Structure formats: C-alpha cells, structure tokens
Amino acid sequence: MNKVKVENLLINFKTLEKFKRFREYGNQELSMLEDLQNNLIENNSESPFYGVYIGENLIARMSLYRIKEKYDNYFDPPQDYLALWKLEVLPDYQGKGYGKLMVDYAKSFNLPIKTSPRINSQGFWEKMGFQKAQYDLERDLGENPLIWLPQGVQEKAALPNHDDE
Amino acid sequence: MNKVKVENLLINFKTLEKFKRFREYGNQELSMLEDLQNNLIENNSESPFYGVYIGENLIARMSLYRIKEKYDNYFDPPQDYLALWKLEVLPDYQGKGYGKLMVDYAKSFNLPIKTSPRINSQGFWEKMGFQKAQYDLERDLGENPLIWLPQGVQEKAALPNHDDE
C-alpha cells in the first residue's frame, strides 16, 4: 500500500460514474447526479465522500459528515461527531487493509464516530475499536449503531424509560 | 390467507426466540432480551413489533413507531408519522401477499409513513405506493428514505442549499 492515500472526492461526472461500481449506490448518488446535470451544483463541488484511488480506479470509499454538538445524542460530553456511512471496498481489493486505512483516516479527526452499517460486519468494526451503542428505540429505530470513542470521551449514559410528553 | 391477521407482538422469551429466524435480528432485539432478563421490562410488555402468525409460526414482522410532529422533517403539513422498519417475511412465505398485508396494516393508521429499507426492494415499495423522498444530506445521511402519503399530505419541499450556521 505504498503511497496509497485517502482523498476527498469531488463531485463530477467521472466520480459519479465510478460510484456505480459500489453496491451501496442509492438516492444520495442519484441526487448528486441530478444536481450536477441541472447545474444546481458546480462541477468539482465538494462532497462528503472520501476514497482511495489505485491508478485510475476508485477502489474504496466512504461518506463522512460532521454532526453538530446540538444534535449529539450519543456521546458524553456532548460534542461534534462524525457520521460515517457507505464504507465499502470493491471485492477484488478486500482483505488488503484498505478498510482499515479508511477508518484510520476518519479517526484522524479525533472526533467520536458513529456508524450504522447495513451489512453484518460486526467483526470488522470490533477490530477497528468500535463498540455497539446501547440501543435506544426512540433514537435508533431500525439502526444498529456502532461508536468509536477517542480518549476522554464516553458513551452517553442510557436514559431511564420515559414518556416523551 | 383466510383469517390471517396482523397483530401487535408482546415482548416475552417466546417472541424473542421467534425473532431469531429473521435476518434483521440486531441490537434492538438483543436489548429487549437483556431488559427482559434483568427485569427492566415486564414479561409481555408492549413492543413496536407487529407480525403475522400461521399456527405457532411467526412468518412475518415489522416495527412501527409513531414519530411526533415536532420531529417531522418529511411531510407537509408537519404531523405525526410512522417510521416503519424491519419489514420481513420468512423465505418460505414470500410472494404470497404477506408483505402487502403488513404494509396495508401500517397504512390503516392513516398517517404518513417513512421507511428506509436495508435491502434493495424498490420494486416492492413502489407497488405499495411508496415513493423516494427527495434526498437531503443533513437529514438522510446514509439512508434511502421512501415515503407514503395519505390523502391530503405532501412531501415537504426541498430546502435550498444552506449553511447550517
């Protein structure tokens, strides 16, 4: 993995074409494509996507978005944190450390991280130092949130059962 | 499907054992099991789960949870709506109308519904009258939300691009 690095991906037709090779291509990508086609966003706009190129091939990607402290329901003390989603390495490149490279990049911001992977990848996330968040129905609904805590940060204590009103 | 009906599922060890047959068994179920074991919730407590029994077999289930109007970011006018997740029919019973039976039950509350299915089931949801919500990065992150609108309800108009601060 000499010289391989994680980079922020700009939104342009070339990037969006490469995204089609990833399994979790969905509303988000289609929305970016439409916005580009309709000139609602400029060519080479910033995106929440980060990825790894090997030559001309985008072989891994993820989305990272900074959630503001006032919306933090996971960490103690409440603070800005990163939501991470769509971490995906193309099949031919799996098992070579690219997933870890991406997660290490996310950790380098030294903010707590929350993810809620769509596939059963518990083992990977545990190796990356993530732990299951305590499930809270009203907050998590259908999610299985996993969190990573930088030094000095704790998980928010569970609330006692309460009525919302 | 004579006499088959959707019923609310109570939390007890028997129900939780049946849940293990469903693919989307996760934090939510484990958390309910722990709460039951630790007497944090009573046997036969209410749950957000609904399901269909055929004899002794639980063959389909879903979660439904009512989100309060003040948290509604999807509908116009803003109102209480239902979040639907973990809709799943066991493989041997698929293609027989049980999925539709469950969705019709959710619709019978006559509230808007939001779901964000984990698997690629776009065709099913379109047949059920759901439509893709317009993707909003800050709201939806890694989700692909689909919504169902009862008469007189519209999707909330997209916000122009804005800075949060």
Side-chain angles (χ1 to χ4, degrees), chain A residues 18-91:
Chain A
K18 290 181 189 301
F19 281 176
K20 288 185 184 164
R21 299 185 60 194
F22 290 83
R23 197 168 46 166
E24 288 201 45
Y25 184 92
N27 273 10
Q28 186 182 5
E29 290 81 356
L30 291 167
S31 162
M32 292 188 331
L33 186 59
E34 274 182 22
D35 287 352
L36 194 59
Q37 284 166 336
N38 297 327
N39 295 312
L40 290 173
I41 56 172
E42 284 174 37
N43 191 31
N44 293 324
S45 293
E46 283 187 20
S47 86
F49 281 102
Y50 295 81
V52 172
Y53 272 94
I54 293 186
E56 285 293 299
N57 289 325
L58 180 68
I59 60 102
R61 68 162 196 177
M62 67 178 166
S63 250
L64 277 184
Y65 190 76
R66 187 169 178 145
I67 310 287
K68 296 199 190 306
E69 177 182 336
K70 64 177 168 178
Y71 299 114
D72 175 13
N73 289 312
Y74 288 93
F75 303 104
D76 179 22
Q79 58 198 283
D80 286 12
Y81 71 92
L82 292 178
L84 187 167
W85 68 96
K86 292 190 183 174
L87 172 64
E88 191 175 341
V89 179
L90 290 182

Side-chain angles (χ1 to χ4, degrees), chain B residues 85-104:
Chain B
W85 69 96
K86 293 190 182 173
L87 173 63
E88 190 174 342
V89 178
L90 291 182
D92 288 352
Y93 296 89
Q94 288 174 11
K96 300 183 198 308
Y98 296 112
K100 181 174 188 307
L101 185 74
M102 301 280 281
V103 175
D104 283 346

Side-chain angles (χ1 to χ4, degrees), chain B residues 117-129:
Chain B
R118 293 196 156 236
I119 52 169
N120 195 339
S121 50
Q122 184 75 20
F124 170 78
W125 290 105
E126 274 174 17
K127 264 190 274 181
M128 297 298 113

Side-chain angles (χ1 to χ4, degrees), chain A residues 87-131:
Chain A
L87 172 64
E88 191 175 341
V89 179
L90 290 182
D92 288 353
Y93 297 89
Q94 289 173 12
K96 299 183 197 310
Y98 295 112
K100 180 174 188 307
L101 185 73
M102 301 280 280
V103 175
D104 283 346
Y105 182 84
K107 289 177 179 174
S108 71
F109 293 91
N110 209 34
L111 293 171
I113 305 172
K114 181 216 152 192
T115 189
S116 184
R118 293 196 156 235
I119 52 166
N120 196 339
S121 50
Q122 186 73 19
F124 170 78
W125 291 105
E126 274 174 16
K127 264 190 276 180
M128 296 299 114
F130 282 64
Q131 62 189 64

Side-chain angles (χ1 to χ4, degrees), chain B residues 142-157:
Chain B
E143 292 197 348
N144 292 316
L146 296 165
I147 54 174
W148 177 75
L149 304 168
Q151 193 123 29
V153 180
Q154 295 191 301
E155 184 177 4
K156 185 183 172 183

Side-chain angles (χ1 to χ4, degrees), chain A residues 24-31 35 40-41 48 63 65 67-68 70-71 83 85-86 114 116-119 122 132-138 140-146 161 163-165, chain B residues 24-32 35 40-41 48 63 65 67-68 70-71 83 85-86 114 116-119 122 132-138 140-146 161 164-165:
Chain A
E24 288 201 45
Y25 184 92
N27 273 10
Q28 186 182 5
E29 290 81 356
L30 291 167
S31 162
D35 287 352
L40 290 173
I41 56 172
S63 250
Y65 190 76
I67 310 287
K68 296 199 190 306
K70 64 177 168 178
Y71 299 114
W85 68 96
K86 292 190 183 174
K114 181 216 152 192
S116 184
R118 293 196 156 235
I119 52 166
Q122 186 73 19
K132 278 187 186 181
Q134 192 157 348
Y135 180 79
D136 176 318
L137 174 66
E138 290 194 287
D140 301 322
L141 303 179
E143 293 197 348
N144 292 317
L146 295 165
N161 284 332
D163 191 10
D164 195 38
E165 299 196 299
Chain B
E24 288 201 46
Y25 184 93
N27 274 11
Q28 186 181 6
E29 290 82 355
L30 291 167
S31 162
M32 293 189 327
D35 287 351
L40 290 173
I41 56 173
S63 250
Y65 190 76
I67 310 287
K68 295 197 189 308
K70 65 177 169 179
Y71 299 115
W85 69 96
K86 293 190 182 173
K114 182 217 154 192
S116 183
R118 293 196 156 236
I119 52 169
Q122 184 75 20
K132 278 187 185 182
Q134 192 157 348
Y135 180 80
D136 176 317
L137 174 67
E138 289 194 288
D140 301 322
L141 304 177
E143 292 197 348
N144 292 316
L146 296 165
N161 283 333
D164 194 38
E165 299 195 301

